[in-house]
Amino acid sequence: MRDNGHVATLFEPLALGALALANRLAVAPMTRVSATADGVPTPRMADYYAQFAQGGFGLVITEGLYTDEAYAQGYLHQPGLANVAQREAWWPIVAGVRSRGGRVIAQLMHAGALSQGNPYRTGTVGPSAVQPKGRQMAFYRGSGAYAVPAAMTQDDIDTAVAGFAQAAVRAREAGFDGVEIHGANGYLLDQFLSEGINLRGDRYGGGIEGRLRLLVEVVEAVRAAVGTDYVVGVRLSQAKVNDFTHRWRGEEEAATIFRTVGGLDVDYVHVTEYEAWQPAFGTGPSLAALAKRHGGKPVLANGSLHDPAQARGMVERGEADVVSLGRGALAQADWPQRVRHGAAPASFDPAILSPLADLANADRWREDHLRPG
C-alpha cells in the first residue's frame, strides 16, 4: 500500500482545549450494552476500545455512560459512571487506549423518557408526561412501546444535574481525557430542548431559551466540578433514536442553540446527522457548518462519514475540525491506517448489531465471517 496524500488533511494534529489529538479522526459513541448487570465495564470492553486506538483513531468517545442511580440508565447492561465500582473498572480501559496513542472521552448520558432498562427505579421521567414516539429498540433488549414518563419535579432535575457533575468528576478520577455531555438523539437533555415533548410551563419550558436551560445548567455544573483545565464537550442533534424525522425550527433556532452552547465554557460541539454533509434544512449549510458559524467552538461532525472523500471534504471546507465514525469504525477498527495507505474501506454489515448490539454478538459475527478459508 502507498501513502494516500489525498486524505492528509484528516491526519493533521489538533488541540481541543488542553487536549492534543494526533489526527482529526474520532470514534463516535456507540451503545454496546456489554457491561455487567451492575453497569461495571468488563475486560472485553477494554479490548474493544483499545482496538480503535491501535487502528489509528486519535480520539475515542465512549458509548453513553449513565450518570446516577436514579433515572439515568437507559439500557440493561449499559455501563455507567454512577459509583466507585464503575469508576475503578474504567481505569484499565482508559489506560489501554492511551497506551496505544489514543485519547479517550467519556460520554455522559441520562436517558430520561427513553429508558427501557433501569434496575434502580420503576417508571421513567422526562420534561412532561408525553409518551415517546416509536418502539423500544430490540437490539438493546427492549420491546413494546415506551412508557409514559412522569414529569420531572425540581428535585428530579436537581438530582439529574448533580449526577452529571458527579459522573464527570469520576471520569476525571478514572483518567479520561474529558467528558462529552449527551444533549442529542432524544435523550433527557434533548427532550427538554424539543417542542412537542417539553410542555412545561416553568422556567425549563416555553421558548427556546427555557428549553435550553437544563442543558446550560448541566454544562455549568460539570465545568464547576472538573475545573477549567479539563475537556468538556456537548453533543447535539436534530433527529432522535425514536424519531428520525424531528427537526428544529430552521436556521434561526439552530443559531440560537449553537450560540447558547458556544457561549458556555465548552471545548467543542459534536453534531450528528444521518449524512453530515447534507443541508440541515433542505437547502443551505449543514448542521456542522451552522455549528461552526454560530457556535465559535471546534466542531466534531458525525453521520455517514465512512467515505474518506466525504470525511475529508467536511474538514477541508471548514465545516468540521474532526470527523467521528460509527459504522465505519465498527466495520474496521483500523479505518485510519487503511485509508491513510490507500486501502478501500470495508462496508458495514448490520448483522454486527443483530439480534443484540453487544460485543458477544459482534464476536460471533467475526467468527462466522472472518474465519480463514
Side-chain angles (χ1 to χ4, degrees):
M1 294 184 291
R2 58 183 177 79
D3 187 72
N4 186 357
H6 294 296
V7 295
T9 303
L10 298 176
F11 294 92
E12 295 173 352
L14 176 73
L16 287 181
L19 182 60
L21 301 181
N23 58 45
R24 309 300 184 95
L25 297 169
V27 177
M30 292 177 284
T31 298
R32 302 312 304 272
V33 291
S34 296
T36 69
D38 296 327
V40 176
T42 65
R44 177 65 186 90
M45 290 171 60
D47 295 338
Y48 167 73
Y49 281 112
Q51 69 177 339
F52 298 118
Q54 185 74 37
F57 284 96
L59 177 63
V60 177
I61 306 173
T62 72
E63 60 204 285
L65 312 181
Y66 68 85
T67 51
D68 62 47
E69 295 178 338
Y71 291 101
Q73 185 170 349
Y75 306 109
L76 298 175
H77 293 277
Q78 178 187 4
L81 262 174
N83 57 50
V84 171
Q86 293 169 355
R87 180 196 69 190
E88 293 303 295
W90 280 108
W91 262 110
I93 299 176
V94 171
V97 173
R98 291 182 59 85
S99 70
R100 291 163 176 80
R103 297 295 177 260
V104 56
I105 284 175
Q107 189 189 66
L108 306 181
M109 169 186 155
H110 191 304
L114 294 191
S115 177
Q116 58 183 51
N118 180 3
Y120 299 106
R121 293 288 191 275
T122 57
T124 60
V125 295
S128 304
V130 175
Q131 185 176 29
K133 293 181 178 180
R135 309 283 287 181
Q136 295 183 34
M137 289 173 280
F139 64 4
Y140 295 151
R141 300 184 175 91
S143 63
Y146 289 99
V148 177
M152 293 177 77
T153 66
Q154 187 63 53
D155 284 346
D156 292 330
I157 290 172
D158 293 344
T159 296
V161 173
F164 274 99
Q166 292 162 5
V169 171
R170 293 187 194 99
R172 184 161 196 171
E173 292 170 345
F176 282 101
D177 294 292
V179 294
E180 178 175 290
I181 296 167
H182 199 347
N185 301 113
Y187 298 113
L188 182 71
L189 302 182
D190 189 31
Q191 291 161 27
F192 270 80
L193 178 60
S194 300
E195 289 184 289
I197 298 170
N198 182 348
L199 307 181
R200 299 177 73 94
D202 63 6
R203 64 196 186 100
Y204 294 100
I208 185 63
E209 291 80 7
R211 288 183 277 115
L212 277 164
R213 189 179 305 278
L214 180 57
L215 175 59
V216 170
E217 290 184 358
V218 167
V219 172
E220 291 176 343
V222 166
R223 175 56 74 195
V226 298
T228 59
D229 60 341
Y230 194 64
V231 170
V232 176
V234 174
R235 195 181 210 215
L236 297 167
S237 72
Q238 297 191 89
K240 310 173 190 307
V241 295
N242 65 315
D243 182 4
F244 296 122
T245 65
H246 184 87
R247 293 293 180 270
W248 298 340
R249 283 179 172 261
E251 184 171 345
E252 183 177 350
E253 184 169 79
T256 298
I257 293 168
F258 290 130
R259 278 197 299 265
T260 299
V261 174
L264 301 170
D265 190 1
V266 298
D267 296 293
Y268 70 86
V269 177
H270 188 181
V271 296
T272 177
E273 294 267 74
Y274 177 66
E275 293 180 328
W277 62 91
Q278 295 285 4
F281 301 106
T283 60
S286 68
L287 196 67
L290 291 172
K292 286 285 288 185
R293 177 184 301 176
H294 300 291
K297 297 292 172 71
V299 169
L300 279 62
N302 169 257
S304 303
L305 293 174
H306 43 270
D307 179 342
Q310 294 289 5
R312 183 184 76 242
M314 293 295 291
V315 176
E316 290 182 347
R317 292 191 302 271
E319 296 181 56
D321 301 280
V322 175
V323 295
S324 71
L325 306 186
R327 287 170 292 165
L330 287 185
Q332 52 209 6
D334 63 345
W335 189 98
Q337 292 179 355
R338 292 171 59 85
V339 168
R340 186 167 198 170
H341 296 293
S347 59
F348 171 73
D349 184 350
I352 294 173
L353 302 177
S354 178
L356 287 177
D358 64 358
L359 297 180
N361 181 80
D363 290 343
R364 288 190 293 270
W365 182 90
R366 288 184 175 86
E367 290 175 2
D368 292 342
H369 292 79
L370 303 181
R371 63 165 59 101

